[in-house]
Amino acid sequence: MTTLFISDLHLEAERPEIGVQFLAFLQGRARDADALYILGDLFESWIGDDDPSPYYAVIKAAVRELGNAGVPVFFMHGNRDFAIGEHFAAETGVTILPDPHPLELYGANVLLSHGDALCTDDVEYQQVRAMTRNPEWLAMMLSKSIEERQAFTMQARQQSMERSKSLQEEITDVNQDAVEQAIRESGADILLHGHTHRPAVHPFHVDERPVHRIVLGDWYEQGSMVEWDEDGPRLEELPR
Ligand code: MN
C-alpha cells in the first residue's frame, strides 16, 4: 500500500527520453500504487486541451490506462501547465486538485503544493502568476488560435529563460516565511512540493512543532519520486 508523488517532468516532444521513462513508470512502479499524485509541470508547456500534438495523445492515453488499471491519478497545476483544464481531466481520468491541497496520509497531515506560490521573493514572477491564474485572462488566452497560443508560449519561455539566468539562487527558491505560514494555516506535519528542482528533505520547527518540507526533483536527467507508505515518505531517484 503506497502512494506515489512526482512533479516537474517537463514533458515535451523535443525531449523524448523523459516521456519514455514516464511511460515505463506508468506501466511499472505506478501500477502497484494506491494512487499517483502529479504535483505540476508534467508538461513543459500547455497551450490548451485542444492541442492536437500526437505526442500529448500518447501521454494522455498512458495516464488514462493507469486509471483504468485501478490506480487513481491526481493532478495539480504547475506554472508551465496551468492551462490544463477539464477536457484534459475527462480525457485522462485525472482529478484536478487545487493548490495547496491538504491530504491525510497514513496518519500524517500532508500539504501538497506545486511550490511556485511559495517563491514570494520573486515579486515579478508572483505578478505574472497572479495574471495567468486569473480565470478571465485564461479564458481570453484560450480563445486565441492554436498558432497564436504557440507563439505566445514560445515567447514566454524565451523570456523566462533569459530572466532565470540573471536571478540569484535564493530568489527562485521558496521563502521560509511563506512555507511556515502555509504549514501553520494548514496544520500540516509535512509540506510536499516540487517546482524548485532542488530535491531534498528539510526538517525544521514551526511554533516548536517538528515538521518537514519535502521537495521533489525534476526529471531532466533522471526521475524523482516520493514513495509513501505506513513507514512514512521516502524521496527517491529513478535512474534512467
Ligand atoms: Mn514549476
Side-chain angles (χ1 to χ4, degrees):
M1 302 292 271
T2 66
T3 303
L4 304 183
F5 299 86
I6 57 174
S7 72
D8 301 283
L9 288 85
H10 294 268
L11 294 173
E12 58 177 336
E14 290 74 21
R15 291 185 199 243
E17 69 281 4
I18 305 178
V20 168
Q21 185 174 11
F22 180 53
L23 295 181
F25 171 79
L26 291 177
Q27 286 156 11
R29 297 276 298 258
R31 287 289 165 118
D32 303 321
D34 292 321
L36 171 66
Y37 286 79
I38 303 170
L39 300 184
D41 288 356
L42 174 60
F43 298 101
E44 173 69 10
S45 62
W46 195 258
I47 62 163
D49 295 352
D50 55 346
D51 189 325
S53 151
Y55 179 70
Y56 293 149
V58 171
I59 301 292
K60 286 190 281 193
V63 172
R64 169 109 235 162
E65 226 177 279
L66 181 65
N68 289 348
V71 182
V73 182
F74 299 89
F75 173 81
M76 183 178 281
H77 291 116
N79 53 302
R80 302 301 194 117
D81 50 15
F82 61 86
I84 281 181
E86 286 307 325
H87 190 75
F88 175 90
E91 279 182 294
T92 57
V94 306
T95 302
I96 297 182
L97 301 175
D99 182 359
H101 177 72
L103 180 70
E104 204 192 310
L105 204 56
Y106 310 109
N109 290 317
V110 187
L111 188 65
L112 305 176
S113 182
H114 177 58
D116 58 321
L118 300 167
C119 299
T120 53
D121 293 331
D122 192 348
V123 175
E124 201 181 319
Y125 169 69
Q126 291 303 330
Q127 285 167 351
V128 171
R129 186 178 194 277
M131 177 183 80
T132 54
R133 301 302 175 91
N134 180 323
E136 280 170 30
W137 183 92
L138 189 58
M140 178 274 292
M141 185 53 71
L142 292 175
S143 72
K144 293 179 185 293
S145 74
I146 285 182
E147 292 73 25
E148 280 175 296
R149 280 179 273 152
Q150 278 166 341
F152 174 85
T153 304
M154 198 102 86
Q155 194 190 357
R157 278 178 66 181
Q158 205 80 44
Q159 279 170 356
S160 143
M161 237 144 57
E162 272 157 35
R163 205 170 153 263
S164 57
K165 269 188 248 159
S166 65
L167 283 179
Q168 286 170 329
E169 284 259 303
E170 311 82 67
I171 289 188
T172 56
D173 204 350
V174 295
N175 172 286
Q176 185 63 21
D177 289 340
V179 165
E180 291 183 11
Q181 195 187 336
I183 288 174
R184 203 171 277 127
E185 280 171 7
S186 62
D189 307 304
I190 298 176
L191 169 64
L192 174 58
H193 70 84
H195 180 64
T196 61
H197 302 192
R198 292 166 186 155
V201 178
H202 301 278
F204 55 102
H205 287 78
V206 171
D207 307 330
E208 284 157 42
R209 205 161 54 82
V211 297
H212 287 83
R213 179 169 70 92
I214 304 178
V215 189
L216 288 158
D218 63 74
W219 282 50
Y220 287 141
E221 307 295 333
Q222 63 195 343
S224 178
M225 168 183 83
V226 162
E227 183 177 38
W228 206 314
D229 60 21
E230 296 78 15
D231 299 327
R234 285 177 305 283
L235 177 62
E236 257 186 66
E237 285 177 356
L238 305 173
R240 190 164 290 164

